Amino acid sequence: MESPEQALSDAHAAEIDGDLKMAESILRNASKKWRREPEFKMRHGRILRSLGNERKALKVYRAVLKAHPQRSDAAVAAAETASSLNKLRLAESLWSRALAVGADADLATVGLCKIIWSRGRKEEAWQRAHGAFIQAGSSSKKLHDFMRECSP
């Protein structure tokens, strides 16, 4: 690995070839070598999730959020990972954070509402989704689908 671009290229080539272990290794080493570049960690987390290592991926995403608190893609990826690990309280805070830092409002609202629903606060989830749906001009397919799914 002579340059960050070369590392990304090598990791991408390994991923395309189906060698996720090699891509993970390249991205792990690149993350250590170029610590200030969050792109390596983001891709590393995605590969870890593909390999089924969600706990490690969550750690990677949270490290990105610690160093770069305004990255909405890191907040969304961390929230999705926490949700799949059934860490509902953490997922709720990460979805809220994703909304606060400018992630896609429909995606983050649906993610947050699903977690709130899973935590047993069904009325709150419905009210939040309904409010966001009305505020978005009643045009969000994602919010509409969620509301149809959980309607009383």
Side-chain angles (χ1 to χ4, degrees):
M1 280 186 295
E2 296 174 8
S3 70
E5 294 79 16
Q6 184 63 43
L8 287 175
S9 176
D10 292 347
H12 183 70
E15 184 180 0
I16 295 297
D17 290 341
D19 191 357
L20 295 180
K21 296 265 187 202
M22 175 60 83
E24 189 273 333
S25 174
I26 291 168
L27 290 169
R28 181 174 11 93
N29 292 333
S31 294
K32 290 177 185 174
K33 188 172 183 178
W34 294 290
R35 293 185 188 273
R36 293 182 185 229
E37 292 295 326
E39 190 59 33
F40 293 114
K41 287 183 180 173
M42 290 299 296
R43 291 181 187 221
H44 185 219
R46 187 174 48 77
I47 295 292
L48 286 169
R49 283 196 78 189
S50 297
L51 288 169
N53 198 342
E54 304 243 336
R55 288 188 184 278
K56 203 174 221 178
L58 182 58
K59 278 186 172 181
V60 170
Y61 290 137
R62 291 187 77 189
V64 173
L65 281 173
K66 187 174 182 180
H68 305 277
Q70 295 300 315
R71 288 214 43 159
S72 62
D73 60 338
V76 168
E80 289 173 342
T81 306
S83 298
S84 68
L85 287 170
N86 211 26
K87 294 184 175 214
L88 301 181
R89 185 175 292 157
L90 175 61
E92 184 176 346
S93 70
L94 290 167
W95 279 120
S96 294
R97 182 175 186 169
L99 267 172
V101 295
D104 176 52
D106 293 344
L107 174 72
T109 302
V110 168
L112 179 60
C113 289
K114 283 183 178 183
I115 294 301
I116 292 170
W117 183 272
S118 297
R119 294 190 67 200
R121 300 185 339 248
K122 296 179 181 343
E123 182 66 27
E124 180 184 346
W126 170 263
Q127 291 298 328
R128 189 178 288 252
H130 186 261
F133 184 71
I134 298 299
Q135 188 176 19
S138 302
S139 62
S140 170
K141 179 135 175 67
K142 293 174 190 172
L143 285 167
H144 183 263
D145 289 345
F146 172 75
M147 289 171 36
R148 265 195 3 212
E149 182 180 317
C150 68
S151 65

CSV table of all heavy atoms in Angstrom, one decimal, residues 3 5 9-10 17-18 20 24 30 43 47 63-64 67-68 80 84 86 91 102 105 117 126 133 142-143 146 151:
chain,number,residue,atom,x,y,z
A,3,SER,N,-0.3,4.3,-1.4
A,3,SER,CA,-1.1,5.5,-1.2
A,3,SER,C,-2.5,5.1,-0.8
A,3,SER,O,-2.9,3.9,-1.0
A,3,SER,CB,-1.2,6.2,-2.6
A,3,SER,OG,-2.0,5.5,-3.5
A,5,GLU,N,-5.3,5.9,-2.2
A,5,GLU,CA,-6.0,5.5,-3.4
A,5,GLU,C,-5.7,4.1,-3.8
A,5,GLU,O,-6.6,3.3,-4.2
A,5,GLU,CB,-5.7,6.4,-4.6
A,5,GLU,CG,-6.1,7.9,-4.4
A,5,GLU,CD,-5.2,8.7,-3.5
A,5,GLU,OE1,-4.1,8.3,-3.3
A,5,GLU,OE2,-5.7,9.7,-3.0
A,9,SER,N,-8.3,1.0,-4.0
A,9,SER,CA,-8.4,0.2,-5.2
A,9,SER,C,-8.2,-1.3,-5.0
A,9,SER,O,-9.0,-2.1,-5.5
A,9,SER,CB,-7.4,0.7,-6.2
A,9,SER,OG,-7.4,0.0,-7.4
A,10,ASP,N,-7.2,-1.6,-4.2
A,10,ASP,CA,-6.9,-3.0,-3.9
A,10,ASP,C,-8.1,-3.7,-3.1
A,10,ASP,O,-8.5,-4.8,-3.4
A,10,ASP,CB,-5.6,-3.2,-3.1
A,10,ASP,CG,-4.4,-2.8,-3.9
A,10,ASP,OD1,-4.5,-2.7,-5.1
A,10,ASP,OD2,-3.3,-2.6,-3.3
A,17,ASP,N,-13.8,-9.5,-6.4
A,17,ASP,CA,-13.4,-10.9,-6.6
A,17,ASP,C,-14.0,-11.8,-5.6
A,17,ASP,O,-13.9,-13.1,-5.7
A,17,ASP,CB,-11.9,-11.1,-6.6
A,17,ASP,CG,-11.2,-10.4,-7.8
A,17,ASP,OD1,-11.9,-10.2,-8.8
A,17,ASP,OD2,-10.0,-10.1,-7.7
A,18,GLY,N,-14.7,-11.3,-4.6
A,18,GLY,CA,-15.4,-12.1,-3.6
A,18,GLY,C,-14.5,-12.5,-2.5
A,18,GLY,O,-14.9,-13.3,-1.6
A,20,LEU,N,-13.6,-11.3,0.6
A,20,LEU,CA,-13.9,-10.3,1.6
A,20,LEU,C,-12.9,-10.3,2.7
A,20,LEU,O,-12.6,-9.3,3.3
A,20,LEU,CB,-15.3,-10.6,2.2
A,20,LEU,CG,-16.5,-10.4,1.2
A,20,LEU,CD1,-17.8,-10.7,1.9
A,20,LEU,CD2,-16.5,-9.0,0.6
A,24,GLU,N,-11.1,-7.0,3.9
A,24,GLU,CA,-11.1,-6.6,5.3
A,24,GLU,C,-9.7,-6.4,5.8
A,24,GLU,O,-9.4,-5.4,6.5
A,24,GLU,CB,-11.8,-7.7,6.1
A,24,GLU,CG,-12.1,-7.3,7.6
A,24,GLU,CD,-10.9,-7.6,8.5
A,24,GLU,OE1,-10.1,-8.5,8.2
A,24,GLU,OE2,-10.8,-6.9,9.5
A,30,ALA,N,-5.1,-0.3,6.3
A,30,ALA,CA,-5.2,1.1,5.8
A,30,ALA,C,-5.8,2.0,6.9
A,30,ALA,O,-5.3,3.2,7.0
A,30,ALA,CB,-6.0,1.2,4.6
A,43,ARG,N,-15.7,1.8,5.0
A,43,ARG,CA,-15.6,0.6,4.2
A,43,ARG,C,-15.3,-0.6,4.9
A,43,ARG,O,-15.8,-1.7,4.7
A,43,ARG,CB,-14.7,0.8,3.0
A,43,ARG,CG,-15.1,1.9,2.0
A,43,ARG,CD,-14.2,2.1,0.9
A,43,ARG,NE,-14.6,3.2,0.1
A,43,ARG,CZ,-14.5,3.2,-1.3
A,43,ARG,NH1,-14.1,2.1,-1.9
A,43,ARG,NH2,-14.9,4.2,-1.9
A,47,ILE,N,-17.6,-4.1,5.2
A,47,ILE,CA,-17.0,-5.4,4.9
A,47,ILE,C,-17.2,-6.3,6.1
A,47,ILE,O,-17.6,-7.5,6.0
A,47,ILE,CB,-15.6,-5.3,4.5
A,47,ILE,CG1,-15.4,-4.6,3.2
A,47,ILE,CG2,-14.9,-6.7,4.4
A,47,ILE,CD1,-16.0,-5.3,1.9
A,63,ALA,N,-16.2,4.5,16.2
A,63,ALA,CA,-14.9,5.2,16.2
A,63,ALA,C,-15.0,6.3,15.2
A,63,ALA,O,-14.4,7.4,15.4
A,63,ALA,CB,-13.8,4.2,15.9
A,64,VAL,N,-15.6,6.0,14.1
A,64,VAL,CA,-15.7,7.1,13.1
A,64,VAL,C,-16.6,8.3,13.6
A,64,VAL,O,-16.2,9.4,13.5
A,64,VAL,CB,-16.4,6.6,11.8
A,64,VAL,CG1,-16.7,7.7,10.8
A,64,VAL,CG2,-15.5,5.5,11.1
A,67,ALA,N,-14.5,10.4,16.0
A,67,ALA,CA,-13.6,11.3,15.4
A,67,ALA,C,-14.3,12.3,14.4
A,67,ALA,O,-13.8,13.4,14.2
A,67,ALA,CB,-12.6,10.5,14.6
A,68,HIS,N,-15.4,11.9,13.9
A,68,HIS,CA,-16.1,12.8,12.9
A,68,HIS,C,-17.6,12.8,13.2
A,68,HIS,O,-18.4,12.1,12.6
A,68,HIS,CB,-15.9,12.3,11.5
A,68,HIS,CG,-14.5,12.1,11.1
A,68,HIS,ND1,-13.7,13.1,10.6
A,68,HIS,CD2,-13.6,11.0,11.1
A,68,HIS,CE1,-12.5,12.7,10.4
A,68,HIS,NE2,-12.4,11.4,10.7
A,80,GLU,N,-28.1,1.1,12.1
A,80,GLU,CA,-28.5,-0.1,11.5
A,80,GLU,C,-27.8,-1.3,12.1
A,80,GLU,O,-28.5,-2.3,12.3
A,80,GLU,CB,-28.2,-0.1,10.0
A,80,GLU,CG,-29.1,0.9,9.2
A,80,GLU,CD,-28.7,1.1,7.8
A,80,GLU,OE1,-27.6,0.7,7.4
A,80,GLU,OE2,-29.6,1.5,7.0
A,84,SER,N,-29.6,-4.4,14.2
A,84,SER,CA,-29.5,-5.8,13.9
A,84,SER,C,-28.9,-6.6,15.0
A,84,SER,O,-29.1,-7.8,15.1
A,84,SER,CB,-28.7,-6.0,12.6
A,84,SER,OG,-27.3,-5.6,12.8
A,86,ASN,N,-29.7,-6.0,18.0
A,86,ASN,CA,-30.8,-5.9,19.0
A,86,ASN,C,-30.4,-5.1,20.2
A,86,ASN,O,-30.9,-5.3,21.3
A,86,ASN,CB,-31.3,-7.3,19.5
A,86,ASN,CG,-32.7,-7.3,19.8
A,86,ASN,OD1,-33.5,-6.4,19.4
A,86,ASN,ND2,-33.1,-8.2,20.7
A,91,ALA,N,-29.4,1.8,19.5
A,91,ALA,CA,-29.9,2.1,18.2
A,91,ALA,C,-30.8,3.4,18.2
A,91,ALA,O,-30.7,4.2,17.3
A,91,ALA,CB,-30.7,0.9,17.7
A,102,GLY,N,-28.3,15.3,9.9
A,102,GLY,CA,-28.7,15.5,8.5
A,102,GLY,C,-28.8,14.3,7.6
A,102,GLY,O,-28.7,14.4,6.4
A,105,ALA,N,-34.1,12.2,6.1
A,105,ALA,CA,-35.1,12.3,7.2
A,105,ALA,C,-36.0,11.1,7.2
A,105,ALA,O,-36.4,10.6,8.3
A,105,ALA,CB,-35.8,13.6,7.0
A,117,TRP,N,-41.0,1.5,18.4
A,117,TRP,CA,-42.0,0.5,18.4
A,117,TRP,C,-41.6,-0.8,19.1
A,117,TRP,O,-42.3,-1.3,19.9
A,117,TRP,CB,-42.4,0.3,17.0
A,117,TRP,CG,-43.6,-0.7,16.8
A,117,TRP,CD1,-43.5,-2.0,16.7
A,117,TRP,CD2,-45.0,-0.3,16.7
A,117,TRP,NE1,-44.8,-2.5,16.5
A,117,TRP,CE2,-45.7,-1.5,16.5
A,117,TRP,CE3,-45.6,0.9,16.7
A,117,TRP,CZ2,-47.0,-1.6,16.4
A,117,TRP,CZ3,-47.0,0.8,16.6
A,117,TRP,CH2,-47.7,-0.4,16.4
A,126,TRP,N,-46.0,5.8,16.5
A,126,TRP,CA,-47.1,6.2,15.6
A,126,TRP,C,-47.2,7.7,15.5
A,126,TRP,O,-47.2,8.2,14.4
A,126,TRP,CB,-48.4,5.6,16.0
A,126,TRP,CG,-49.5,6.2,15.2
A,126,TRP,CD1,-50.4,7.2,15.6
A,126,TRP,CD2,-49.9,5.8,13.9
A,126,TRP,NE1,-51.3,7.5,14.5
A,126,TRP,CE2,-51.0,6.6,13.5
A,126,TRP,CE3,-49.5,4.8,13.0
A,126,TRP,CZ2,-51.6,6.5,12.3
A,126,TRP,CZ3,-50.1,4.7,11.8
A,126,TRP,CH2,-51.2,5.5,11.4
A,133,PHE,N,-44.7,12.4,8.6
A,133,PHE,CA,-45.4,12.1,7.3
A,133,PHE,C,-46.1,13.4,6.9
A,133,PHE,O,-46.0,13.8,5.7
A,133,PHE,CB,-46.3,11.0,7.4
A,133,PHE,CG,-47.0,10.6,6.1
A,133,PHE,CD1,-46.3,10.0,5.1
A,133,PHE,CD2,-48.4,10.8,6.0
A,133,PHE,CE1,-46.9,9.6,3.9
A,133,PHE,CE2,-49.0,10.5,4.8
A,133,PHE,CZ,-48.3,9.9,3.8
A,142,LYS,N,-41.7,5.7,2.4
A,142,LYS,CA,-41.1,4.9,3.5
A,142,LYS,C,-41.9,5.1,4.8
A,142,LYS,O,-42.3,4.1,5.5
A,142,LYS,CB,-39.7,5.4,3.8
A,142,LYS,CG,-38.7,5.0,2.7
A,142,LYS,CD,-37.3,5.7,3.0
A,142,LYS,CE,-36.4,5.5,1.8
A,142,LYS,NZ,-35.2,6.3,2.0
A,143,LEU,N,-42.3,6.3,5.1
A,143,LEU,CA,-43.1,6.6,6.3
A,143,LEU,C,-44.5,6.0,6.1
A,143,LEU,O,-45.1,5.5,7.1
A,143,LEU,CB,-43.2,8.1,6.6
A,143,LEU,CG,-41.9,8.7,7.2
A,143,LEU,CD1,-42.0,10.2,7.1
A,143,LEU,CD2,-41.7,8.3,8.6
A,146,PHE,N,-44.4,2.3,6.7
A,146,PHE,CA,-44.2,2.0,8.2
A,146,PHE,C,-45.6,2.2,8.9
A,146,PHE,O,-46.0,1.4,9.7
A,146,PHE,CB,-43.2,2.9,8.8
A,146,PHE,CG,-43.2,2.8,10.3
A,146,PHE,CD1,-42.6,1.7,10.9
A,146,PHE,CD2,-43.7,3.8,11.1
A,146,PHE,CE1,-42.7,1.5,12.3
A,146,PHE,CE2,-43.7,3.7,12.5
A,146,PHE,CZ,-43.2,2.5,13.1
A,151,SER,N,-50.3,0.4,11.8
A,151,SER,CA,-51.6,1.1,12.0
A,151,SER,C,-52.5,0.3,12.9
A,151,SER,O,-52.5,-0.9,12.9
A,151,SER,CB,-52.3,1.5,10.7
A,151,SER,OG,-52.7,0.3,10.1
